[in-house]
Coordinates of all heavy atoms in Angstrom, one line a residue:
A1 N 5.9 -15.0 6.3 CA 7.0 -14.3 5.7 C 6.6 -12.9 5.2 O 7.5 -12.0 5.0 CB 7.6 -15.1 4.5
D2 N 5.3 -12.7 4.9 CA 4.9 -11.4 4.4 C 4.7 -10.3 5.5 O 4.6 -9.1 5.2 CB 3.5 -11.5 3.7 CG 3.6 -12.4 2.5 OD1 4.5 -12.2 1.6 OD2 2.9 -13.4 2.4
V3 N 4.6 -10.7 6.7 CA 4.3 -9.8 7.8 C 5.7 -9.4 8.4 O 6.4 -10.2 9.0 CB 3.4 -10.5 8.9 CG1 3.1 -9.4 10.0 CG2 2.1 -11.0 8.3
L4 N 6.0 -8.1 8.3 CA 7.2 -7.5 8.8 C 7.0 -6.7 10.1 O 5.8 -6.3 10.3 CB 7.8 -6.6 7.7 CG 8.0 -7.2 6.3 CD1 8.5 -6.2 5.3 CD2 8.9 -8.4 6.4
K5 N 8.0 -6.5 10.9 CA 7.9 -5.8 12.1 C 9.0 -4.9 12.3 O 10.2 -5.2 12.1 CB 7.9 -6.9 13.3 CG 7.7 -6.3 14.7 CD 7.7 -7.3 15.7 CE 7.5 -6.8 17.1 NZ 7.6 -7.8 18.2
D6 N 8.7 -3.6 12.6 CA 9.8 -2.6 12.8 C 10.2 -2.5 14.2 O 9.7 -3.3 15.1 CB 9.4 -1.3 12.2 CG 8.2 -0.6 13.0 OD1 7.9 -1.1 14.1 OD2 7.6 0.3 12.5
S7 N 11.2 -1.6 14.5 CA 11.7 -1.5 15.8 C 10.8 -1.1 16.9 O 11.0 -1.3 18.1 CB 13.0 -0.6 15.8 OG 12.6 0.7 15.3
S8 N 9.7 -0.4 16.4 CA 8.7 0.1 17.4 C 7.6 -1.0 17.7 O 6.7 -0.8 18.5 CB 8.0 1.3 16.9 OG 7.2 1.0 15.7
G9 N 7.7 -2.1 17.1 CA 6.7 -3.2 17.3 C 5.5 -3.1 16.4 O 4.5 -3.9 16.6
T10 N 5.6 -2.3 15.4 CA 4.5 -2.2 14.4 C 4.6 -3.2 13.3 O 5.7 -3.3 12.7 CB 4.4 -0.8 13.8 OG1 4.2 0.2 14.9 CG2 3.3 -0.7 12.8
Y11 N 3.5 -3.9 13.0 CA 3.6 -4.9 11.9 C 3.1 -4.2 10.6 O 2.1 -3.4 10.7 CB 2.7 -6.1 12.2 CG 3.1 -6.9 13.4 CD1 2.7 -6.7 14.7 CD2 4.0 -8.0 13.2 CE1 3.2 -7.4 15.8 CE2 4.5 -8.7 14.2 CZ 4.1 -8.5 15.5 OH 4.5 -9.2 16.6
Y12 N 3.7 -4.6 9.5 CA 3.2 -4.0 8.3 C 3.4 -5.0 7.1 O 4.2 -6.0 7.3 CB 3.9 -2.7 7.9 CG 5.4 -2.8 7.7 CD1 6.0 -3.0 6.5 CD2 6.3 -2.8 8.8 CE1 7.4 -3.1 6.3 CE2 7.7 -2.9 8.7 CZ 8.2 -3.0 7.4 OH 9.6 -3.1 7.2
I13 N 2.7 -4.8 6.0 CA 2.7 -5.7 4.9 C 2.9 -4.8 3.7 O 2.3 -3.7 3.5 CB 1.4 -6.5 4.7 CG1 1.2 -7.4 6.0 CG2 1.3 -7.3 3.4 CD1 -0.2 -7.9 6.1
R14 N 3.8 -5.3 2.7 CA 4.1 -4.5 1.5 C 3.2 -5.1 0.4 O 3.3 -6.3 0.1 CB 5.5 -4.5 1.2 CG 5.9 -3.8 -0.1 CD 7.4 -3.7 -0.4 NE 8.1 -2.8 0.6 CZ 8.9 -3.3 1.5 NH1 9.1 -4.5 1.7 NH2 9.5 -2.4 2.3
I15 N 2.4 -4.3 -0.3 CA 1.6 -4.8 -1.4 C 2.1 -4.1 -2.7 O 2.2 -2.9 -2.8 CB 0.1 -4.4 -1.2 CG1 -0.4 -5.1 0.1 CG2 -0.7 -4.9 -2.4 CD1 -1.9 -4.7 0.4
T16 N 2.5 -4.9 -3.6 CA 3.2 -4.4 -4.9 C 2.3 -4.9 -6.1 O 1.4 -5.7 -6.0 CB 4.6 -4.9 -5.0 OG1 4.6 -6.4 -5.1 CG2 5.4 -4.5 -3.8
G17 N 2.7 -4.3 -7.2 CA 2.1 -4.8 -8.5 C 0.7 -4.3 -8.7 O -0.1 -5.0 -9.4
I18 N 0.3 -3.2 -8.1 CA -1.1 -2.8 -8.2 C -1.3 -2.3 -9.6 O -2.4 -2.5 -10.2 CB -1.4 -1.7 -7.2 CG1 -1.2 -2.2 -5.8 CG2 -2.7 -1.1 -7.4 CD1 -1.4 -1.2 -4.7
G19 N -0.4 -1.5 -10.2 CA -0.5 -1.1 -11.6 C -1.7 -0.2 -11.8 O -2.5 -0.3 -12.7
F20 N -1.8 0.8 -10.9 CA -3.0 1.7 -10.9 C -2.7 3.0 -11.4 O -1.8 3.7 -10.9 CB -3.5 1.7 -9.4 CG -4.7 2.6 -9.2 CD1 -6.0 2.2 -9.7 CD2 -4.7 3.8 -8.5 CE1 -7.1 3.0 -9.5 CE2 -5.8 4.6 -8.3 CZ -7.0 4.1 -8.8
N21 N -3.4 3.5 -12.4 CA -3.1 4.8 -13.1 C -4.0 5.9 -12.5 O -5.2 5.7 -12.4 CB -3.2 4.7 -14.6 CG -2.2 3.8 -15.2 OD1 -1.0 3.8 -14.7 ND2 -2.5 3.0 -16.2
V22 N -3.4 7.1 -12.3 CA -4.2 8.2 -11.9 C -4.0 9.3 -12.9 O -2.9 9.9 -12.9 CB -3.8 8.8 -10.5 CG1 -4.7 9.9 -10.1 CG2 -3.9 7.6 -9.5
P23 N -4.9 9.6 -13.8 CA -4.7 10.6 -14.8 C -4.5 12.0 -14.2 O -5.0 12.3 -13.1 CB -6.0 10.6 -15.7 CG -6.6 9.2 -15.4 CD -6.2 8.9 -14.0
K24 N -3.9 12.9 -14.9 CA -3.6 14.2 -14.5 C -5.0 14.9 -14.1 O -5.9 14.9 -14.9 CB -2.9 15.0 -15.6 CG -2.6 16.5 -15.2 CD -2.0 17.2 -16.3 CE -1.8 18.7 -16.0 NZ -1.2 19.5 -17.1
G25 N -5.0 15.6 -13.0 CA -6.1 16.4 -12.6 C -7.3 15.6 -12.0 O -8.3 16.1 -11.6
E26 N -7.1 14.2 -11.9 CA -8.2 13.4 -11.3 C -7.8 12.9 -10.0 O -6.7 12.8 -9.6 CB -8.5 12.2 -12.3 CG -9.1 12.7 -13.6 CD -9.5 11.5 -14.5 OE1 -9.6 10.4 -13.9 OE2 -9.8 11.7 -15.6
T27 N -8.9 12.5 -9.3 CA -8.7 11.8 -8.0 C -9.3 10.4 -8.1 O -10.4 10.2 -8.6 CB -9.4 12.6 -6.9 OG1 -8.9 13.9 -6.8 CG2 -9.3 11.9 -5.5
K28 N -8.6 9.4 -7.6 CA -9.0 8.1 -7.6 C -9.1 7.6 -6.1 O -8.4 8.0 -5.2 CB -8.1 7.1 -8.3 CG -8.1 7.4 -9.9 CD -9.3 6.7 -10.4 CE -9.3 6.7 -12.0 NZ -10.3 5.9 -12.6
V29 N -10.1 6.7 -5.9 CA -10.3 6.1 -4.6 C -10.0 4.6 -4.6 O -10.5 3.9 -5.4 CB -11.7 6.3 -4.1 CG1 -11.9 5.7 -2.7 CG2 -12.0 7.8 -4.0
L30 N -9.1 4.2 -3.8 CA -8.8 2.7 -3.6 C -9.5 2.2 -2.4 O -9.5 2.9 -1.4 CB -7.3 2.5 -3.5 CG -6.4 2.8 -4.7 CD1 -5.0 2.3 -4.5 CD2 -6.9 2.1 -6.0
T31 N -10.0 1.0 -2.4 CA -10.6 0.3 -1.3 C -9.7 -0.9 -0.9 O -9.5 -1.7 -1.8 CB -12.0 -0.1 -1.6 OG1 -12.8 1.1 -1.9 CG2 -12.6 -0.7 -0.3
V32 N -9.4 -1.0 0.3 CA -8.6 -2.2 0.8 C -9.6 -3.0 1.6 O -10.2 -2.6 2.6 CB -7.4 -1.7 1.6 CG1 -6.6 -3.0 2.1 CG2 -6.5 -0.8 0.8

C-alpha cells in the first residue's frame, strides 16, 4: 500500500513525520 505508481510507470514512496530542523544559514545532510 505504501508503493505508489504514477502515469509514467515510476514508483515512489512518501516518507512523512521526519521533524527535521534546519537553522538559518546552515546546511544539513540527510542519509537515506
Side-chain angles (χ1 to χ4, degrees):
D2 297 307
V3 181
L4 308 175
K5 183 179 180 181
D6 65 14
S7 59
S8 67
T10 299
Y11 292 93
Y12 64 96
I13 297 167
R14 181 177 287 111
I15 300 176
T16 62
I18 296 176
F20 180 69
N21 294 322
V22 184
K24 178 184 177 181
E26 292 189 12
T27 299
K28 289 282 190 173
V29 176
L30 293 185
T31 301
V32 180

